[in-house]
Amino acid sequence: METENEKLTGTVENVTYRNDINGYTVLEVDSQEELVTVVGIMPEIQSGEQIECFGSWGFHKVHGRQFNASSITQTMPADTAGILRYLSSGVISGVRESTALKMVEAFGENTLDVIEKDPERLAQIKGISLAKAKKISREFKTQFAVREAMLGLTSLGFTQSEAINAYNVFKDEAYDILKVNPYCFVGVDNGISFDRAEEIAEGKNIPFGFKSEAAVLHIISHNLRNGHTCLPRKSIIQPLEDMLGCMDDDVEIAIDNNIEEKKLVSKNINSKEFLFLPEIYEAERNIADRIDVMTKFPPRQSEIFASEVTAFELSNNIKFDQMQRQAIEIAVNKGLLILTGGPGTGKTTTVKGIITLMKNRGLSVALTAPTGRAAKRMSELTGEEAKTIHRLLEVEYKDGEEKASFKYNLHNTLDVDAVIVDELSMVDVTVFNSLLDALPLGCRLVMVGDKDQLPPVGAGNVLSDLIKSGRIPVVRLEKIFRQAMKSLIVTNAHKVVSGEMPELSRNDEDSDFFLLKENDSYSASAKITGLVTSRLPKKYGLNSVSDIQVLCPSRKGECGTANLNKMLQSVLNPPDKRKKELYFKGYILREGDKVMQIKNNYDVPWFKSGDSGTGVFNGDIGILERIDIESDVFNVRFDDRDAMYSSESVKELELAYAMTVHKSQGSEFDAVVMPVVNINPLLAYRNLFYTAITRAKNLIVLVGSEGQIEKMVNNDKKSRRYSALDYFLSVDNSEDLF
């Protein structure tokens, strides 16, 4: 194993490469003995600077021996040659080689001191005015301030990567702010965890108030990841007392301080005080406002003729039922509709009818879904192009802004007459808010989803709250069509959602729903591995990686994703001297592995035939095709595009031979294998089981016991998710809620 205590000092000859987003840099350094390649996450460095690095030696197959730096300390060049090289590098705007040479000839080794402390003397040099001399001094001091801030932050205990992120947030004040209060870097974009702030603050005599206020925000943010858009104030008092070891008065003060500083929003809802993060409060409140505007200013109505619907039925060899016809009429005429229903009830056919009748009227229609896989499935089923919501709204970076935003928004709306969004059950409040903002006035909006599926991985309960509010027309498709009734997947899904046991006894060759009985987790995990790697491919001609997906209720245990991924990887993509590996977070990623993106990342570039862009999103599944640690390049193939990861962004990938049911939302797989044995009671509930069943297109194999299935079917207790959208939708919108 490489050691991290090697030391290297030298002068930077050249900056070969730098990624300004994550700080990954490649340098050529003169160590006096040889010219060395140094790579790592580091602050901005210029030619001529002297550096001291700690890290380890490695070998690149193209570039040869190189030094992998884990930490770097910069010092200004001390001799005239180093100063000349530094100033000639372009570090200061307007100073090029000829000007640098004049300054060094005039002031020698004192040149940098003159620039910093006595810039008027620079005006003695021909070609440098007093104004230019002062500008040179200002820019040099800015560069010096960055360097000092980075050195100061690392001295406080921040890693090089954390220091870069901190400087991007707090700029020149980063060191001064974080020295006094490292907790203020908790909960911000690319910030640190509360536990990490605790490590940095240890032994530094940080005021308790800073810690307690950060702990409040930590609790609210943590529960945001659990789906809650808000929390009752009373519910967080005891957890904070236990966490901080303090009295409730201290907690109440910390909460009030956050509210006063506008880091939290307090709102009384049904006589109970709730706490929100400001951006989430704004999102839920804005959704309610936008829905109110859409209901008050509907699109111009257009009569639907029965002959049009009949013509569509004849051309598609179908017959709509009354509810499907009602859905089409509402979508085309009124322009605002929620269409919900289980598998086999004709949602897709209804949507195709809506699209056709809208286009017959010359309306432009955009189709969208929350994930790449859901959008691809929508395209396949409707025959129309569908985009992810992020691609529809077009993620972009504006000049001077660190965070990504959407090109299409409240001030630059989409040029469409109608938007149809599928899989609404998995859309969180922030994404839905952005989508509504981008709709022009009078735009039709059709929202399609299955209300019985799991809520989104992100915060909120959008579909459920919209239905509950009664503000939007809802059409529920309940009739299972004859063709769909031939599938046990479909009929069993409807049984489960109604609280009935699925049919498990049928075991004929034509069945698409099986239970293989196992009573212990160890036997079940072994059987699942055999099914995926051998039995199902042989019997049905399926590809173990692309066609079969293991869905688990949990990440933990013998039948959790962590263990099953290791077992499946060992058979489907075993160690191979020809394949490179990457080890982190307790598991190995190997070239050829099936992987999944676990969070939205707007920075990752991707390429495909004739097109390119940036952004990979939570739930995207692909194959890790190349690992090049030395060049900091990792390639993942996602369906029709190749994404290029850096060492920082590749940490957002996980093995995906097995995934949780929650992560499978919006996707459909040819075959699903699911363990149903010894499930944690907190996860053994009906709509999780229902969601797993409805992810299977042609085949589902359960491995476990009837008793476990019965427990899941009988447990209709949905995990409570605090949200306020239903309330905001139901109150008088003229009321001042802010």
Side-chain angles (χ1 to χ4, degrees):
M1 186 175 177
E2 293 181 334
T3 58
E4 293 288 330
N5 58 358
E6 296 276 357
K7 179 180 177 181
L8 175 74
T9 59
T11 303
V12 177
E13 290 291 321
N14 185 38
V15 181
T16 306
Y17 169 79
R18 177 169 176 80
N19 184 323
D20 290 324
I21 295 173
N22 61 29
Y24 182 83
T25 309
V26 180
L27 306 173
E28 287 183 346
V29 177
D30 181 0
S31 68
Q32 296 185 337
E33 298 176 358
E34 59 179 326
L35 196 63
V36 177
T37 299
V38 176
V39 300
I41 304 295
M42 58 188 78
E44 191 167 357
I45 290 176
Q46 304 295 335
S47 299
E49 290 190 66
Q50 294 176 345
I51 60 173
E52 180 180 85
C53 314
F54 287 91
S56 59
W57 289 98
F59 191 85
H60 189 279
K61 64 181 180 181
V62 175
H63 305 294
R65 190 168 178 255
Q66 62 184 27
F67 191 82
N68 300 307
S70 57
S71 67
I72 290 183
T73 302
Q74 302 159 264
T75 58
M76 296 302 292
D79 58 24
T80 54
I83 293 172
L84 177 60
R85 193 160 50 244
Y86 172 72
L87 292 175
S88 300
S89 69
V91 63
I92 299 174
S93 177
V95 177
R96 294 294 180 261
E97 190 171 350
S98 59
T99 306
L101 181 60
K102 290 177 184 178
M103 290 194 292
V104 172
E105 285 178 343
F107 303 112
E109 294 179 355
N110 297 320
T111 301
L112 299 181
D113 284 336
V114 171
I115 292 173
E116 181 186 4
K117 300 171 184 175
D118 200 4
E120 290 81 2
R121 293 177 62 190
L122 295 177
Q124 299 170 7
I125 298 172
K126 186 177 180 180
I128 300 180
S129 65
L130 182 60
K132 184 175 181 179
K134 290 181 178 179
K135 182 182 177 184
I136 289 171
S137 181
R138 282 197 305 271
E139 290 204 21
F140 175 76
K141 288 176 181 177
T142 299
Q143 293 288 334
F144 190 75
V146 173
R147 187 175 299 105
E148 288 297 300
M150 297 299 294
L151 287 172
L153 289 168
T154 53
S155 73
L156 293 175
F158 291 94
T159 65
Q160 205 83 54
S161 179
E162 289 168 347
I164 290 170
N165 291 336
Y167 187 82
N168 287 336
V169 173
F170 300 107
K171 304 302 180 186
D172 294 344
E173 298 178 329
Y175 173 73
D176 293 333
I177 290 172
L178 295 175
K179 180 181 180 181
V180 174
N181 180 14
Y183 292 100
C184 68
F185 197 32
V186 174
V188 303
D189 285 337
N190 296 317
I192 57 176
S193 67
F194 183 82
D195 291 339
R196 180 73 180 111
E198 286 272 72
E199 292 176 7
I200 294 169
E202 188 174 0
K204 291 188 173 67
N205 196 29
I206 305 297
F208 178 76
F210 292 153
K211 176 179 177 178
S212 60
E213 288 178 28
V216 172
L217 296 177
H218 168 72
I219 291 284
I220 303 288
S221 299
H222 177 77
N223 279 281
L224 189 69
R225 292 193 291 273
N226 290 335
H228 304 292
T229 64
C230 55
L231 288 176
R233 177 170 179 147
K234 288 184 178 179
S235 72
I236 69 171
I237 302 298
Q238 190 60 54
L240 283 165
E241 287 182 33
D242 297 339
M243 181 178 176
L244 298 169
C246 65
M247 303 295 289
D248 57 358
D249 284 351
D250 296 313
V251 172
E252 298 283 5
I253 290 169
I255 293 172
D256 288 338
N257 286 343
N258 275 308
I259 295 171
E260 187 175 340
E261 294 167 13
K262 301 190 184 305
K263 294 178 181 177
L264 286 179
V265 174
S266 169
K267 178 66 192 170
N268 284 316
I269 298 175
N270 299 325
S271 303
K272 186 184 291 187
E273 183 181 4
F274 283 81
L275 301 173
F276 301 74
L277 292 174
E279 62 272 22
I280 302 301
Y281 177 86
E282 296 282 352
E284 288 202 306
R285 187 68 191 91
N286 188 59
I287 289 170
D289 288 342
R290 295 287 294 170
I291 294 294
D292 186 57
V293 170
M294 294 175 78
T295 56
K296 288 179 178 176
F297 299 95
R300 188 172 62 184
Q301 294 199 10
S302 174
E303 183 182 354
I304 291 180
F305 298 101
S307 58
E308 288 183 276
V309 180
T310 302
F312 180 84
E313 290 175 325
L314 290 172
S315 64
N316 289 271
N317 194 27
I318 59 166
K319 184 69 176 174
F320 286 128
D321 70 4
Q322 182 183 350
M323 298 308 294
Q324 289 176 299
R325 285 175 173 266
Q326 182 183 343
I328 293 171
E329 183 176 347
I330 292 171
V332 176
N333 278 352
K334 296 185 178 179
L336 194 58
L337 169 71
I338 293 175
L339 178 63
T340 184
T345 56
K347 292 196 302 295
T348 300
T349 308
T350 306
V351 168
K352 289 172 73 173
I354 290 170
I355 295 170
T356 298
L357 267 68
M358 283 185 175
K359 286 191 170 184
N360 287 349
R361 283 154 178 74
L363 302 176
S364 57
V365 184
L367 274 60
T368 188
T371 67
R373 295 183 74 88
K376 183 181 179 183
R377 179 167 166 254
M378 192 180 190
S379 294
E380 292 169 348
L381 293 174
T382 63
E384 304 282 342
E385 182 189 13
K387 297 180 179 180
T388 64
I389 297 173
H390 289 85
R391 293 202 68 193
L392 177 68
L393 303 185
E394 293 191 23
V395 176
E396 66 176 10
Y397 284 92
K398 294 181 180 177
D399 291 341
E401 292 186 5
E402 299 276 343
K403 291 179 64 176
S405 58
F406 289 117
K407 174 182 176 180
Y408 295 103
N409 52 51
L410 191 61
H411 307 291
N412 179 36
T413 56
L414 292 162
D415 185 17
V416 293
D417 301 308
V419 171
I420 300 175
V421 54
D422 197 12
E423 297 287 356
L424 188 69
S425 63
M426 64 181 299
V427 179
D428 64 39
V429 291
T430 55
V431 173
F432 190 64
N433 179 46
S434 296
L435 178 63
L436 291 186
D437 272 350
L439 301 184
L441 190 64
C443 182
R444 291 163 170 81
L445 177 63
V446 178
M447 296 162 280
V448 185
D450 187 342
K451 66 180 180 59
D452 295 311
Q453 286 187 23
L454 291 168
V457 174
N461 222 350
V462 172
L463 178 58
S464 176
D465 283 347
L466 288 174
I467 292 173
K468 212 173 1 175
S469 73
R471 293 292 302 279
I472 297 174
V474 177
V475 173
R476 294 177 174 85
L477 302 181
E478 296 176 339
K479 176 185 175 182
I480 306 175
F481 285 87
R482 187 178 301 171
Q483 187 174 356
M485 289 185 71
K486 298 176 183 178
S487 167
L488 270 183
I489 293 174
V490 172
T491 56
N492 277 340
H494 285 273
K495 284 184 176 183
V496 167
V497 86
S498 300
E500 301 175 36
M501 276 291 285
E503 183 179 332
L504 303 170
S505 57
R506 198 158 93 190
N507 198 29
D508 58 74
E509 290 293 318
D510 295 328
S511 180
D512 57 6
F513 196 106
F514 296 95
L515 169 66
L516 301 183
K517 294 185 179 180
E518 290 291 347
N519 291 317
D520 69 88
S521 300
Y522 292 95
S523 300
S525 62
K527 182 162 283 187
I528 288 169
T529 303
L531 282 166
V532 174
T533 61
S534 178
R535 290 176 61 182
L536 295 181
K538 286 180 181 178
K539 184 174 179 62
Y540 297 98
L542 299 169
N543 183 290
S544 296
V545 175
S546 60
D547 298 332
I548 305 172
Q549 184 60 56
V550 177
L551 299 183
C552 307
S554 172
R555 299 173 65 90
K556 300 177 181 178
E558 284 296 315
C559 287
T561 58
N563 184 58
L564 285 173
N565 268 319
K566 287 181 181 179
M567 294 177 70
L568 291 166
Q569 182 192 46
S570 69
V571 180
L572 296 174
N573 192 30
D576 187 326
K577 290 181 180 179
R578 295 167 296 179
K579 294 182 177 181
K580 291 186 178 179
E581 298 179 347
L582 183 68
Y583 180 86
F584 63 93
K585 294 196 295 188
Y587 59 86
I588 292 171
L589 289 181
R590 184 176 294 124
E591 287 177 336
D593 272 331
K594 182 179 181 179
V595 294
M596 177 174 57
Q597 178 74 15
I598 60 171
K599 63 181 291 189
N600 291 343
N601 187 323
Y602 305 114
D603 300 322
V604 174
W606 54 262
F607 309 89
K608 68 177 182 179
S609 179
D611 196 9
S612 64
T614 60
V616 289
F617 304 105
N618 191 357
D620 285 352
I621 299 173
I623 301 296
L624 179 57
E625 293 190 332
R626 181 167 75 116
I627 294 176
D628 190 339
I629 298 172
E630 294 85 358
S631 296
D632 193 41
V633 174
F634 309 84
N635 293 107
V636 179
R637 178 74 175 176
F638 292 110
D639 292 328
D640 61 342
R641 58 200 170 109
D642 289 297
M644 185 179 293
Y645 285 73
S646 67
S647 55
E648 282 296 296
S649 54
V650 80
K651 295 175 183 176
E652 297 168 357
L653 293 174
E654 285 185 352
L655 291 172
Y657 301 104
M659 69 174 71
T660 63
V661 177
H662 282 84
K663 283 289 187 183
S664 73
Q665 289 172 265
S667 299
E668 190 175 62
F669 310 98
D670 285 329
V672 166
V673 179
M674 181 185 183
V676 284
V677 59
N678 296 332
I679 299 174
N680 184 324
L682 295 176
L683 295 170
Y685 53 94
R686 186 186 300 171
N687 70 335
L688 182 141
F689 187 40
Y690 171 78
T691 300
I693 293 172
T694 54
R695 298 309 90 204
K697 185 159 55 174
N698 300 315
L699 176 69
I700 184 166
V701 181
L702 306 175
V703 180
S705 69
E706 288 190 37
Q708 181 68 79
I709 293 172
E710 189 173 7
K711 287 179 181 177
M712 297 184 81
V713 171
N714 291 336
N715 182 8
D716 194 29
K717 183 180 179 182
K718 298 178 176 66
S719 55
R720 184 165 191 179
R721 182 172 279 215
Y722 289 109
S723 65
L725 179 57
D726 177 33
Y727 171 77
F728 291 146
L729 285 162
S730 63
V731 298
D732 181 357
N733 281 275
S734 64
E735 179 188 348
D736 181 14
L737 292 171
F738 293 91

